[in-house]
């Protein structure tokens, strides 16, 4: 199965700071099949970015996604308080679908 | 508004059985593949099972870790999907989410139901 490794596992950012987190796949994943979810404590995950770079409904434009092959990233152009959460990458390029271990983003 | 509401979780002894249910609303249930995904501190997010459409003969797929023990099913007339879990193990402990597959991402998630396997 395709293993997704996210880094860093935990990070903190100041309000207004640019944030980038990465997701590395153990084998190549088509960009159409790499997605990101946001999860806050006590809530279920929410689709955040699909097919590498498409924002889900309601996601602020300060979020963006990019990547190809085995390397993908999620960027926040200017950190806001509401962005503190855990972000998970997910691939459905090859069965079984798998998830990364998550990046927990905190406010500095 | 899409809603997925799980039920049926609780405490069960190792080797026991439990059946989870998920009732869906806000979309044409019979047109979508449905999945169960679970989450635990030890394993993080883990896909469990998938069921496809009537046109796919309700084909099912399972994670290796649950194959032969879990059974996913659906009742389109009730907009519901189920997960029958047998021979439960401690490592099956976690929050179980019902999810709607849109294209090939999990577009919507329920609030989850907690399953605890412990003596």
């Amino acid at each position: 199965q395709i293993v997704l490794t996210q880094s860093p596992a935990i990070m903190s950012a100041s309000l207004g700071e640019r944030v980038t987190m990465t997701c590395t796949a153990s084998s190549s994943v088509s960009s159409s099949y790499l997605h990101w979810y946001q999860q806050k404590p006590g809530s279920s995950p929410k689709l955040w970015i699909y097919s590498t770079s498409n924002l889900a409904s309601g996601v602020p434009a300060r979020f963006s996604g990019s990547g190809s092959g085995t390397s993908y990233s999620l960027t926040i152009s200017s950190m806001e308080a509401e962005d503190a959460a855990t972000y998970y990458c997910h691939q459905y390029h090859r069965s079984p679908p798998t998830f990364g271990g998550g990046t927990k983003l905190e406010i500095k | 508004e899409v809603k997925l509401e799980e039920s049926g979780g609780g405490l069960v002894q190792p080797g026991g059985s439990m059946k989870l249910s998920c009732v869906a609303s806000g979309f044409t249930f019979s047109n979508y593949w449905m999945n169960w995904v679970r989450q635990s501190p030890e394993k993080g997010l883990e896909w469990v099972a998938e069921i496809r459409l009537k046109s796919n003969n309700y084909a099912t797929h399972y994670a290796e870790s649950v194959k032969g023990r879990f059974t996913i099913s659906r009742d389109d007339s009730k907009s519901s999907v189920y997960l029958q879990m047998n021979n439960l193990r401690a490592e099956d402990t976690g929050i179980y989410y019902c999810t709607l597959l849109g294209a090939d991402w999990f577009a919507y998630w329920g609030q989850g139901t907690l399953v605890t396997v412990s003596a």
Side-chain angles (χ1 to χ4, degrees):
Chain A
Q1 66 178 36
I2 296 178
V3 175
L4 300 178
T5 302
Q6 292 187 242
S7 61
I10 304 175
M11 66 184 301
S12 61
S14 302
L15 298 180
E17 184 178 348
R18 183 180 181 87
V19 172
T20 297
M21 60 189 71
T22 65
C23 174
T24 301
S26 60
S27 57
S28 186
V29 173
S30 167
S31 59
S32 298
Y33 300 106
L34 193 288
H35 320 293
W36 295 87
Y37 301 84
Q38 181 197 67
Q39 185 177 33
K40 294 188 175 182
S43 296
S44 54
K46 292 181 181 177
L47 178 66
W48 212 244
I49 297 175
Y50 62 94
S51 300
T52 296
S53 58
N54 298 283
L55 302 185
S57 178
V59 174
R62 61 182 178 274
F63 284 86
S64 64
S66 64
S68 64
T70 60
S71 183
Y72 292 85
S73 63
L74 180 156
T75 297
I76 306 172
S77 60
S78 179
M79 174 77 178
E80 295 199 10
E82 66 179 13
D83 302 335
T86 301
Y87 295 86
Y88 296 93
C89 59
H90 159 236
Q91 69 80 26
Y92 211 148
H93 175 89
R94 189 171 302 144
S95 191
T98 52
F99 295 87
T103 291
K104 184 177 183 180
L105 175 59
E106 301 173 333
I107 300 174
K108 190 182 294 182
Chain B
E1 179 191 7
V2 171
K3 285 189 178 179
L4 301 169
E5 187 167 356
E6 303 94 338
S7 61
L11 176 64
V12 62
Q13 292 188 337
S17 298
M18 180 175 281
K19 186 174 185 177
L20 306 182
S21 301
C22 171
V23 179
S25 61
F27 64 101
T28 305
F29 181 79
S30 58
N31 289 350
Y32 290 89
W33 298 5
M34 297 298 295
N35 286 252
W36 288 94
V37 175
R38 66 187 180 186
Q39 185 173 30
S40 66
E42 297 77 21
K43 296 183 181 179
L45 288 167
E46 181 185 19
W47 170 77
V48 174
E50 175 179 273
I51 187 165
R52 299 186 178 180
L53 309 182
K54 182 178 180 180
S55 58
N56 306 125
N57 293 317
Y58 296 119
T60 57
H61 300 273
Y62 299 93
E64 283 297 325
S65 58
V66 307
K67 202 172 287 186
R69 300 187 298 122
F70 289 12
T71 302
I72 188 173
S73 61
R74 64 190 295 161
D75 185 338
D76 290 343
S77 69
K78 295 182 179 179
S79 295
S80 294
V81 61
Y82 308 97
L83 187 67
Q84 175 67 46
M85 304 184 294
N86 298 330
N87 192 19
L88 282 160
R89 306 167 180 167
E91 55 264 36
D92 295 318
T93 293
I95 300 173
Y96 284 70
Y97 296 104
C98 168
T99 66
L100 182 165
L101 191 72
D104 63 311
W105 52 79
F106 299 115
Y108 294 94
W109 301 59
Q111 84 286 351
T113 187
L114 178 62
V115 173
T116 304
V117 184
S118 175

